[in-house]
């Protein structure tokens, strides 16, 4: 019996590792409409999204309404390139995509040769959230490295977002079975939160009060906290 339990535990651990590697549900996306200088839509335009630092490349085409949609993007800095026959190539670099963010990047093409390229800086693209009504906040990697967390518990970062209260009763962040992630988001119950790493839940669903994995502060590139009005994929999490 013990041997069977051991094999079951090993199988479960292997499945957890596989889920963390291959089951990541990245929720960031870039969408937009491609038009010409008169405002008419451009169907069939080629749209490429790239992030050379992460080796990410996505290629799509606009539909009959000139719309394109690129889902499942990890957080990063992207370059948007749009080409269409009879138009100059459009290129926007430096588009910053944060975790769990939906960005709209509309493109207006100019008539000309494809070999001619129009390049713009895309840092301001998506700064105003128009694709979703969700509310929340982001703690960047730079901020994380500059913060002093008592106990180096990454869960403490959630308290930097407005509307979050620490209900753990711990002055020092503690990880493992003695840790606590009892944080109230906008007055919600502490056990109604969910915690994810790269789209995979790490919450101990037996207690809803601790985590199965506590990533090192040094390994975290960005922390995103959603406090309300988030998408249906988080439907089981009524607090944050």
């Amino acid at each position: 019996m013990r041997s069977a339990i051991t094999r079951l535990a090993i199988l479960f651990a292997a499945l957890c590792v596989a889920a963390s590697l291959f089951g990541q549900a990245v929720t960031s996306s870039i969408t937009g409409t491609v038009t010409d200088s008169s405002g008419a839509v451009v169907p069939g335009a080629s749209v490429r999204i790239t992030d050379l630092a992460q080796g990410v490349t996505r290629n799509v085409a606009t539909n009959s309404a000139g719309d394109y949609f690129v889902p499942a993007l990890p957080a990063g800095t992207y370059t948007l390139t749009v080409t269409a026959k009879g138009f100059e190539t459009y290129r926007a670099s430096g588009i910053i995509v944060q975790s769990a963010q939906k960005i709209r990047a509309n493109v207006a093409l100019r008539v000309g040769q494809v070999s001619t390229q129009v390049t713009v800086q895309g840092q301001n693209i998506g700064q105003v959230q128009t694709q979703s009504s969700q509310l929340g906040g982001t703690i960047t990697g730079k901020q994380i490295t500059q913060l002093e967390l008592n106990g180096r518990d990454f869960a403490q970062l959630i308290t930097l977002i407005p509307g979050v209260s620490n209900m753990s009763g711990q002055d020092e962040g503690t990880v493992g079975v003695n840790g606590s992630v009892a944080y109230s988001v906008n007055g919600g119950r502490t056990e109604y939160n969910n915690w994810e790493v790269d789209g995979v839940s790490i919450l101990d669903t037996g207690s809803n009060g601790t985590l199965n994995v506590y990533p090192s502060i040094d390994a975290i590139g960005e922390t995103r906290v959603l406090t309300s009005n988030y998408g249906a994929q988080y439907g089981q999490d009524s607090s944050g």
Side-chain angles (χ1 to χ4, degrees), residues 149-153 156 170-175 179-180 183:
L149 297 179
N150 191 5
R152 289 177 57 81
D153 177 11
Q156 297 170 316
Q170 297 179 334
D171 294 327
E172 178 180 351
T174 305
V175 300
S180 173
Y183 296 92

Side-chain angles (χ1 to χ4, degrees), residues 72 78 86 229:
Y78 290 87
N229 294 341

Side-chain angles (χ1 to χ4, degrees), residues 153 155 168 170 179-183 190 193 195 203 208-211 214:
D153 177 11
S168 67
Q170 297 179 334
S180 173
V181 289
Y183 296 92
T190 60
N193 297 323
W195 299 74
L203 180 67
N208 282 345
T210 60
L211 303 180
Y214 285 84

Side-chain angles (χ1 to χ4, degrees), residues 100-212:
Q101 186 179 27
K102 299 177 181 179
I103 286 181
R104 169 163 285 275
N106 294 330
V107 175
L109 298 179
R110 299 193 309 195
V111 175
Q113 299 296 322
V114 177
S115 57
T116 302
Q117 181 171 283
V118 177
T119 303
V120 300
Q121 294 300 313
Q123 285 91 341
N124 294 326
I125 294 178
Q127 295 302 304
V128 178
Q129 181 61 261
T130 60
Q131 292 302 112
S132 172
S133 61
Q134 70 183 17
L135 299 177
T138 300
I139 302 99
T140 65
K142 182 178 180 180
Q143 291 172 319
I144 293 173
T145 59
Q146 295 176 344
L147 291 172
E148 295 184 7
L149 297 179
N150 191 5
R152 289 177 57 81
D153 177 11
F154 85 97
Q156 297 170 316
L157 294 170
I158 190 177
T159 59
L160 297 175
I161 303 304
V164 178
S165 300
N166 187 344
M167 309 295 290
S168 67
Q170 297 179 334
D171 294 327
E172 178 180 351
T174 305
V175 300
V177 294
N178 296 321
S180 173
V181 289
Y183 296 92
S184 175
V185 180
N186 288 339
R189 296 177 67 93
T190 60
E191 64 269 27
Y192 289 170
N193 297 323
N194 191 30
W195 299 74
E196 297 181 354
V197 173
D198 291 338
V200 178
S201 176
I202 59 173
L203 180 67
D204 174 14
T205 54
S207 66
N208 282 345
T210 60
L211 303 180
N212 293 319

Side-chain angles (χ1 to χ4, degrees), residues 35-46:
T35 61
D36 60 18
S37 56
S38 68
V41 299
V42 180
S46 297

